[in-house]
Amino acid sequence: MTLSQLQKTIESHFAAGPSAIGDPSAMTAFFSLRAALESGELRAASPDPASPSGWRVNAWVKQGILLGFRLGVLEELPSGGLSFVDKNTYPVRHFAAGDGVRLVPGGSSIRAGAYLARGVVCMPPMYINAGAWVDEGTMVDSHALVGSCAQIGKRVHLSAAAQIGGVLEPVNASPVVIEDDVLVGGNSGVYEGTIVRRGAVLAAGTILTRGTPLFDLVNGQILRATAELPLIIPENAVVVPGSRAVAKGKGHERARDWSLSLYAPVIVKYRDDKTDLSTTLEDLLR
Ligand SMILES: CC(C)(COP(=O)(O)OP(=O)(O)OC[C@H]1O[C@@H](n2cnc3c(N)ncnc32)[C@H](O)[C@@H]1OP(=O)(O)O)[C@@H](O)C(=O)NCCC(=O)NCCS
């Protein structure tokens, strides 16, 4: 089946609602989709220079992933003494040494339907959800989460406890995109379709959502998501967690009396030699 035939089949089974349950052709289509996702032939969002955000969302892929949840039934998973139960359409992925992915033992899972390129390193415990794409040489450190359909580029460092939000609902929402050579610092969170352009650095503890204004000190601009575009972190921006005084609202004078401030991510500079030094990845660990 070609990808465009698969798209039509998935769309029609998705549109069929609960009546797809028990239809063997729906399950076959879902398994084809899952295999294409795992091999990297297909992805939930793809680079697209013609799109204003630089990325095109393949909404039907997410429909297919949701179809897998609809079709799946709960089953007990083999667990060596522990007890796990999940939809039988989304078992844990198994890897062989020849896949070139290093999955260090200890409480990590990569769900079926996720793509991991060669050279990806997964430090325990971490989790990669269905539909995610993780490209060559990326490090997923301990306690990091790669949410459903998130797109992670080459040589990205997702530091300890970095949380990359997933997006299956609503089905047309864009996934989070972390482009090549980004460093996501420890305890950072990137959610709601935010796009982090190549080479950017998020200092430890930076949180980005659709509603978070980003203060660019270098260019004197405030960057925000719009109705059409998510929050986009510019290429090579170095973002640190900051705060700003409360300046609006009925109680803002009271807020001043109370010395309240709101969280505000700030671009303090664009990548320079010092940043390169601070963020150099240790090749020997890979
Ligand atoms: C952002 C980071 C990479 C530093 O980059 P850098 O280019 O070396 O930044 P600099 O030290 O030149 O700092 C630039 C400015 O930002 C400020 N700054 C740097 N890091 C900051 C942070 N985390 N929070 C707040 N401000 C920060 C500096 O004070 C400096 O401002 P100043 O000139 O007014 O003093 C580093 O702070 C960081 O967060 N690294 C990630 C650490 C991490 O999570 N490791 C994970 C291991 S699992």
Side-chain angles (χ1 to χ4, degrees):
M1 202 188 301
T2 65
L3 284 183
S4 71
Q5 287 165 331
L6 181 61
Q7 174 174 354
K8 285 200 184 71
T9 317
I10 291 284
E11 283 169 346
S12 82
H13 288 304
F14 182 77
S19 59
I21 297 168
D23 177 347
S25 73
M27 192 62 104
T28 305
F30 167 70
F31 283 139
S32 303
L33 174 104
R34 203 179 72 183
L37 284 170
E38 288 182 7
S39 70
E41 189 189 354
L42 190 63
R43 53 199 288 189
S46 331
D48 179 5
S51 145
S53 73
W55 287 81
R56 187 186 67 246
V57 177
N58 301 317
W60 70 274
V61 172
K62 279 190 277 176
Q63 291 182 344
I65 292 171
L66 288 172
L67 180 69
F69 283 98
R70 180 175 283 151
L71 301 178
V73 292
L74 295 187
E75 75 172 8
E76 292 175 18
L77 306 171
S79 55
L82 300 171
S83 166
F84 300 112
V85 177
D86 197 6
K87 295 270 183 166
N88 62 351
T89 38
Y90 286 105
V92 171
R93 271 198 70 181
H94 288 253
F95 291 85
D99 292 324
V101 171
R102 196 142 62 82
L103 177 54
V104 179
S108 297
S109 290
I110 295 159
R111 215 174 195 186
Y115 166 73
L116 275 73
R118 295 183 72 80
V120 170
V121 179
C122 303
M123 297 304 292
M126 47 62 70
Y127 189 73
I128 300 180
N129 209 343
W133 168 288
V134 184
D135 218 331
E136 283 165 29
T138 281
M139 162 77 84
V140 186
D141 217 328
S142 302
H143 289 282
L145 163 74
V146 181
S148 53
C149 299
Q151 305 290 304
I152 314 293
K154 295 181 171 57
R155 299 170 299 278
V156 168
H157 188 118
L158 297 181
S159 303
Q163 306 292 295
I164 308 299
V167 59
L168 282 176
E169 297 170 290
V171 81
N172 286 316
S174 315
V176 171
V177 176
I178 311 287
E179 294 186 353
D180 297 348
D181 300 301
V182 166
L183 176 108
V184 181
N187 277 300
S188 294
V190 188
Y191 306 105
E192 294 186 305
T194 297
I195 297 177
V196 183
R197 291 269 189 249
R198 63 180 59 231
V201 174
L202 307 183
T206 302
I207 308 287
L208 302 168
T209 70
R210 216 184 154 81
T212 316
L214 170 61
F215 294 80
D216 183 343
L217 283 185
V218 179
N219 296 309
Q221 285 175 336
I222 302 177
L223 307 175
R224 298 175 188 271
T226 64
E228 294 77 33
L229 287 174
L231 180 65
I232 299 179
I233 314 309
E235 199 168 313
N236 293 327
V238 176
V239 185
V240 305
S243 60
R244 62 186 164 106
V246 178
K248 278 201 293 200
K250 237 180 174 178
H252 83 266
E253 282 174 14
R254 177 59 62 86
R256 197 184 51 209
D257 295 342
W258 289 340
S259 304
L260 290 188
S261 57
L262 294 175
Y263 165 70
V266 178
I267 298 178
V268 283
K269 64 179 185 179
Y270 284 75
R271 194 181 256 274
D272 57 19
D273 291 349
K274 181 162 181 305
T275 319
D276 290 344
L277 207 65
S278 312
T279 59
T280 302
L281 303 179
E282 180 50 79
D283 281 344
L284 280 178
L285 290 177
R286 278 164 179 78

